Amino acid sequence: MWRRVASVSHFTCAHKSIVNNKDVCKLKFWEAFTTEIPRKDKGTFQRDKTPFITFVLGGPGSGKGTQCMKIVENFGFTHLSAGDLLRREIAANSADGTMILNTIKEGKIVPSELTIRLIQKEMESSDNYKFLIDGFPRSEENRIAFEQIIGAEPDIVLFFDCPEDEMVKRVLNRNQGRVDDNIDTIKKRLKVFAALNLPVVKYYLEKGKLYKINAVGTVDEIYKQVYPVFASFNFEQVRA
Ligand SMILES: Nc1ncnc2c1ncn2[C@@H]1O[C@H](COP(=O)(O)OP(=O)(O)O)[C@@H](O)[C@H]1O
Ligand SMILES: Nc1ccn([C@@H]2O[C@H](COP(=O)(O)OP(=O)(O)O)[C@@H](O)[C@H]2O)c(=O)n1
Ligand SMILES: [Mg+2]
């Protein structure tokens, strides 16, 4: 039913980045990573165990998590939401739990090393090689620290472009009991998004890795823009 569309909104041949990631495979993290992970894909996508990393960016309520669930369902990615990993630390009363809670309440960014450690742990314990890293990097500092600690860059970056009033409406209706889904914190998060996250979006636009998605419309309408991005890589489809 789905067909690859010719006008995928990207700014370069995203396959080009595969070459980049083969280079970073020489780094320590990926050496350990790739030797431990058996290939499960049978598709035409040839990466020889090299991780395929997608960063998923967008303001609060732009629909990142919702679209990630659909990508997981269709293309068998492992979804790592930075926010969910941080909230799990709070729920587990970990040593950093209180600091994370206070940071999230203020709509600020948790120190990069901590968030990256959580992401790295999940990646290393996964037997998948396809990752959606949702809500990360939230700042240039996040981005640079990931490159330094993990030694890799994303293959592609999705950016869900959504007007502020729509994001506010969605967050206020989210009803997940989150401490940051109130109007005061949302205002702070939107400011942080504009000041710290949009420069990251610009960086990946200039690098030719960005796929800008119009995040206004129904979930299915938005996914019709997302699907062809992944279909173009010929991953084995879990469900059509
Ligand atoms: N296209 C859409 N139209 C209306 N509501 C949406 C849409 N996509 C997601 N939502 C709802 O908006 C809220 C925020 O979505 P979510 O995926 O959690 O966004 P994010 O992870 O970017 O903060 C959720 O309640 C979700 O069900
Ligand atoms: N890379 C990240 C991601 C989230 N966070 C914190 O976690 C909060 C919630 O992130 P989230 O990704 O779950 O939020 P949504 O964009 O999904 O609404 C952010 O507002 C930050 O306070 C962070 O500090 N660093
Ligand atoms: Mg989310």
Side-chain angles (χ1 to χ4, degrees):
M1 192 200 327
W2 287 97
R3 296 186 57 207
R4 193 187 301 180
V5 295
S7 60
V8 175
S9 171
H10 63 116
F11 300 87
T12 188
C13 171
H15 298 275
K16 207 174 84 184
S17 59
I18 294 164
V19 176
N20 298 341
N21 254 22
K22 271 190 180 145
D23 292 338
V24 297
C25 250
K26 292 176 193 131
L27 295 167
K28 209 170 158 222
F29 174 77
W30 294 129
E31 275 172 6
F33 190 90
T34 52
T35 51
E36 283 169 15
I37 293 182
R39 272 198 81 138
K40 290 200 169 168
D41 60 311
K42 300 183 193 76
T44 54
F45 188 66
Q46 297 296 316
R47 297 208 48 154
D48 198 19
K49 299 178 198 167
T50 306
F52 185 95
I53 298 175
T54 303
F55 284 161
V56 183
L57 305 182
S62 59
K64 301 180 293 296
T66 304
Q67 295 295 323
C68 281
M69 284 196 290
K70 295 180 80 69
I71 301 164
V72 167
E73 199 185 332
N74 280 157
F75 294 101
F77 272 68
T78 292
H79 177 208
L80 302 178
S81 157
D84 285 351
L85 294 174
L86 293 168
R87 284 185 286 274
R88 196 167 75 186
E89 292 299 292
I90 299 171
N93 282 319
S94 81
D96 298 309
T98 307
M99 181 274 288
I100 295 172
L101 176 62
N102 291 333
T103 308
I104 286 181
K105 271 186 187 162
E106 285 302 310
K108 293 184 176 160
I109 312 284
V110 171
S112 299
E113 288 69 23
L114 203 168
T115 311
I116 292 165
R117 179 163 48 77
L118 299 175
I119 293 171
Q120 184 175 19
K121 211 168 131 205
E122 294 299 309
M123 291 177 82
E124 285 176 340
S125 63
S126 169
D127 65 357
N128 201 348
Y129 74 100
K130 294 173 282 188
F131 297 100
L132 295 171
I133 306 188
D134 163 7
F136 185 97
R138 225 66 180 208
S139 63
E140 279 288 277
E141 201 228 320
N142 262 186
R143 178 184 70 72
I144 292 162
F146 185 90
E147 279 177 24
Q148 286 173 347
I149 296 170
I150 306 292
E153 289 193 13
D155 292 87
I156 60 171
V157 179
L158 296 186
F159 168 51
F160 290 96
D161 188 24
C162 195
E164 286 198 356
D165 55 351
E166 178 67 20
M167 293 196 273
V168 171
K169 203 170 72 187
R170 289 185 193 172
V171 169
L172 289 178
N173 286 327
R174 181 151 49 185
N175 286 326
Q176 289 178 355
R178 280 174 49 170
V179 290
D180 54 347
D181 281 356
N182 58 77
I183 192 64
D184 287 344
T185 310
I186 293 166
K187 282 182 186 163
K188 291 177 187 167
R189 287 159 69 194
L190 288 171
K191 277 190 187 154
V192 168
F193 170 70
L196 302 183
N197 208 333
L198 285 180
V200 179
V201 172
K202 185 166 175 277
Y203 174 85
Y204 287 121
L205 169 65
E206 285 165 4
K207 275 214 127 188
K209 292 192 173 185
L210 196 80
Y211 289 81
K212 185 173 167 182
I213 307 291
N214 173 12
V216 181
T218 65
V219 170
D220 285 346
E221 281 167 355
I222 294 159
Y223 192 60
K224 276 182 186 162
Q225 301 169 68
V226 172
Y227 181 93
V229 173
F230 292 91
S232 72
F233 286 93
N234 292 325
F235 292 119
E236 181 194 21
Q237 279 189 38
V238 180
R239 279 180 55 188

